[in-house]
Amino acid sequence: MNENPNHPDAIERSGRWLSKAGLRPTRQRVSLAALLIGDGNNRHVTAETLYAASCATGEKVSLATVYNTLRAFCDAGLMQEVMVDGTKSYFDTRVDDHPHFFWEDDHRLSDAPAGSLEIARLPEAPEGAEISKIDVVIRLRRV
């Protein structure tokens, strides 16, 4: 996570990030945003890892607030949710279309190089439906 989420640059970057999506910059949103993007780097988090990082800074926030805030960030287009196994959600600050590696050994998500992925053909969507998004998660285990 961001080394110093209370740095003025991190706070300012977070406020701009929230404003661009039309989200009110509440204290908790700014604090969580600073952990996510305050240093300008993209990252993948779970609600639990973001909650732990927030607690480590001394911020008083509940796990439910972290979940709700991450959902609000996703709804506003600031983040995307990546489901792994249908039970675990990861949240990604990089919102362009790109594949992911899921590291099974340490339950970590990372970006995979998009340039080497090729999807040659997709099935037709059923009548009355359209494909809205394709998620590619490549599972890895260390050998």
Side-chain angles (χ1 to χ4, degrees):
M1 290 285 156
N2 185 9
E3 293 297 319
N4 184 1
N6 296 317
H7 190 277
D9 290 344
I11 300 298
E12 182 184 334
R13 183 177 286 117
S14 301
R16 285 193 317 265
W17 191 62
L18 294 170
S19 293
K20 113 179 147 176
L23 289 176
R24 197 166 49 89
T26 64
R27 179 184 55 77
Q28 290 178 322
R29 282 180 180 166
V30 170
S31 172
L32 294 173
L35 287 167
L36 291 167
I37 56 95
D39 61 2
N41 294 319
N42 286 308
R43 51 187 39 89
H44 303 89
V45 300
T46 63
E48 292 80 10
T49 59
L50 184 57
Y51 171 74
S54 181
C55 289
T57 68
E59 180 68 31
K60 301 258 192 274
V61 63
S62 71
L63 183 57
T65 296
V66 171
Y67 269 106
N68 292 337
T69 301
L70 286 168
R71 296 263 179 249
F73 289 173
C74 288
D75 290 345
L78 295 172
M79 301 184 78
Q80 63 176 325
E81 182 177 10
V82 179
M83 292 290 292
V84 176
D85 290 337
T87 59
K88 188 71 171 175
S89 288
Y90 290 79
F91 298 89
D92 187 357
T93 56
R94 182 177 160 195
V95 294
D96 64 310
D97 289 332
H98 63 283
H100 291 96
F101 287 133
F102 177 69
W103 299 85
E104 292 180 332
D105 299 330
D106 55 1
H107 304 282
R108 184 174 50 86
L109 198 69
S110 63
D111 292 335
S116 37
L117 176 69
E118 183 177 318
I119 300 174
R121 205 169 61 191
L122 295 172
E124 296 262 342
E127 187 174 327
E130 68 180 6
I131 296 172
S132 65
K133 184 178 180 195
I134 299 168
D135 291 322
V136 176
V137 177
I138 303 159
R139 300 175 70 86
L140 303 173
R141 102 184 78 187
R142 298 200 195 302
V143 293

